[in-house]
Amino acid sequence: MLSQISENGHATLPALATKSWGRPGVAVSSPGDDTEPKRKIIAIGGGKGGIGKSMIAANIGVYFAQSGCRVVTVDADLGGANLHTCLGVDVPEATLTDFIARRVGSLADVVTPTLVPRLGLISGALDFLAAANPKYTQKLRLIRAISRLDVDYIIIDLGGGTGFNILDFFLIADYGVLTVIPEPTSIENAYRFIKAAYYRRLKMAELPWNVKPIVEQALDAPGAQGLKTPADLVRTVERQSPEAASKLREELERFPLRLVVNQIRSAEEERLGAAICAACRKYFGIRVEYLGCLPYDDAVWKSVRARRPVLVEAPESRVSHSIKAIAASFGQDKL
Amino acid sequence: MATQDDVIDFYQVLEVERSASTEEVEQAYRRILETLGGGGLALYSLIDETDYDAWRERVALAYRTLVDPIRRLAYDQSVHSTTYCTPWVVDQSDSTSQTSKRHAEPAELVEDRGVRQEQGGAETEDVSDQTLSEHSASTRSKSTLRPSYPSTPPQPSMATPDVKSAGRRFVPSPDIVLNDQTEFTGALLRRLRDSAGASVSDIAEVTNISRNYLRAIESQDFEALPAAVYVRGFVAEYARVLCLEPKRVTSSFMELYKRASVGER
């Protein structure tokens, strides 16, 4: 299918959309229309593997595609890509590796159609040796290309861990979604992820010239590992410069995270999401918006085994309804 | 070293200002309760797990103390102005005379408290430093001086009816003579408690400290106790309900605690 598209010379997504996976006649957004809000990037992270990031990313993508939007899901799990399996796509011919290695002209060339109309997939690098650690310039080029894709929604499925490559994809997103499951390991990694993402953001942030050195000094200071939370950092900086600290607080305020709790089995666990948000506010000084939870549902593993998104395989299951509710909440907030 | 050995600061525990209203105290407590949803899992890796129970206990104690105006007043005056004098502690009918009604209490101790109060008035904020300086400063020669009160009001103000009715107190028998050199061991605390006619359960009820911890304090079973900062808080509470001066008792007891933990190493 991909080669077909390339042969036809459709290098960009609008053409692609009408040709193979767009529904003719459904105008979603026209290129160059500045009044319409541009494409939204949603990144699904969580710092730990096996917590349902790919499942959630795939199904949120399905939801938007089914509601008539053009969507590309990006498997940015450069070392352990499996989003294609969640979407029922065979090992794609072209992957991110081809883009990184410049074997293809544009990112649109590595978009693989899925069984859901309007939903495309950019698969992660399967030969990860080459691409699991892209050079900085390669990564910038990739990030630029992702944010230029001409679609309505870009859903990025992040790998586990808190490496810079993962954090940088997370930080370019309009919606950074953190996934956790009710297990201590997941909670611990989630907090680690929040901290790492926040510090990374501060490093990259455009802070006033007189604030930045103080922040960097605090981040790089010996014993900076002792800085437990962003709130600690603010306090450290405050000792140097109250003005810098207030800038940091503004940055904290502007760092809206979203949270999804997956694999909920009891009413007690349902309260976990709100508890994590409260803990983040209290201990990190970070605002986290709780999007909702997904029940532990056999429909999920059944659909994985059938290699089809659960929204397609079991649209009336409890988990499908929950996913739809969560996906529908994007764009409704003012964060 | 400031934080480790600090007396429990209930305001810090709930993260509210000293001037916080009752509503603010309630809000702060509710925020903490929220974080306990999901079986406390949300606090994993944020709060030291081994101290989790002690922390919960401390939060509950802080809340109960600060949300109740009477208890709060008693707490404020006992901790934050660091004045430990006897009037509010003694449940005698006549509290007009502010000089110690504490039976046969050694005169030096009372005087000595006056000296402390003076220091306390000067530095109410940094509790830990104060503990140290106080220790070295409270010599016998000094205690004979009549203190003046530069910033804190003199003791009679504490003998308000409100304070008097705050919480139950147990007055140990005056036959147990206490002075500057007294080492407040677990055994002595038990003797004082017995002499006051209070059971461990009585103390537990008033202080909200678990009976197991109280027993561990009395038997100096340090292994059964949580981290030093909590033990200090427990001992301070214990001392308070026994009408003892918390700072004196805690610094003496924590000395034992430290020695024991050094011995282990």
Side-chain angles (χ1 to χ4, degrees), chain B residues 53-75:
Chain B
D53 290 337
W55 175 78
R56 285 193 67 160
E57 209 161 311
R58 211 165 44 132
V59 167
L61 182 60
Y63 171 68
R64 275 186 222 123
T65 307
L66 298 188
V67 83
D68 175 347
I70 294 172
R71 282 192 199 185
R72 181 173 173 179
L73 184 58
Y75 169 77

Side-chain angles (χ1 to χ4, degrees), chain A residues 34-53:
Chain A
D34 285 340
T35 55
E36 280 296 302
K38 290 288 281 180
R39 83 280 162 290
K40 292 282 184 214
I41 301 178
I42 299 171
I44 316 281
K48 187 181 178 296
I51 54 172
K53 291 188 296 292

